[in-house]
Every structure is written in C-alpha cells, then in structure tokens.
C-alpha cells in the first residue's frame, strides 16, 4: 500500500521508480450549471500522466443535468435536487459513489 512507505520531506525523487503498487485514484468534481468549466476540468483530467481510475461528477441540481463526457477515464454523474447551494452535500454524494483508494 502506498501509505506504508516513508517519504521524508516529500522527496519522491529519492524513491525507486515504482516502490509500491499505484493506488486507484478517484476524482470527484462538484458541478452546478457551468458546462464550459466542466469541459475544461474534464480536458485537464484526461491529460494527466496518471489518469484517475474513475471520475464522479457530483451535480448540485443543474437543469438540465450534465452529460457524462467521453474519451477519457470512466465517468458517471450523480445528482441531487436543487435546494439551494449545497456543494458539500453534492461532494459527499460524489464521494459515496467512488471506489478508489485515494480521493481527489
């Protein structure tokens, strides 16, 4: 497990190339009526050197809800009703839908 390795001073350059299995990384993106920003975020996620194993878009009640983008890591959209600004609740909903070892 990645957390079993001591990395003094965050000096990852001192470690062997792959000292432990790479963790499964899940990314939660909170969204509300900003499709252009979501598209930019998706583009950035797809260009990572180590892409996440999954992306969960947690929508806070957009009308219409976002469509899951294609052409990258597996992605799904979870939504909650629009009852005002509830980004934390949307984030928690997204977290509950992940399966990765590391959450971003």
């Amino acid at each position: 497990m990645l957390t079993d390795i001591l990395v003094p001073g965050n000096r990852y350059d001192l470690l062997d190339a792959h000292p432990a299995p790479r963790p499964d990384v899940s990314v939660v993106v909170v969204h509300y009526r900003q499709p252009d920003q979501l598209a930019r975020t998706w583009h950035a996620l797809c260009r990572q050197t180590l892409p996440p194993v999954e992306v969960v878009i947690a929508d806070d009640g957009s009308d219409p809800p976002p469509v899951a983008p294609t052409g990258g890591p597996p992605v799904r959209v979870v939504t909650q009703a629009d009852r005002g600004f509830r980004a934390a609740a949307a984030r928690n909903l997204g977290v509950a839908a992940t399966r990765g070892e590391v959450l971003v």
Side-chain angles (χ1 to χ4, degrees):
M1 179 183 236
L2 183 65
T3 56
D4 294 337
I5 299 169
L6 178 62
V7 183
N10 285 334
R11 290 289 312 271
Y12 286 92
D13 59 313
L14 300 177
L15 298 176
D16 293 333
H18 299 285
R22 292 182 183 252
D24 287 341
V25 177
S26 297
V27 175
V28 175
V29 178
V30 178
H31 175 267
Y32 181 73
R33 294 184 181 176
Q34 294 182 316
D36 293 340
Q37 290 82 347
L38 181 60
R40 282 196 292 274
T41 301
W42 178 250
H43 179 73
L45 287 170
C46 290
R47 296 179 54 92
Q48 297 300 303
T49 55
L50 179 60
V53 297
E54 66 179 345
V55 176
V56 176
I57 299 170
D59 181 60
D60 189 19
S62 299
D63 184 23
V67 175
T70 59
V75 61
R76 68 183 165 284
V77 177
V78 294
T79 59
Q80 65 184 14
D82 185 4
R83 291 188 279 173
F85 180 74
R86 299 186 311 139
R91 191 174 300 111
N92 290 340
L93 179 67
V95 168
T98 63
R99 62 176 177 80
E101 179 184 6
V102 174
L103 179 63
V104 178

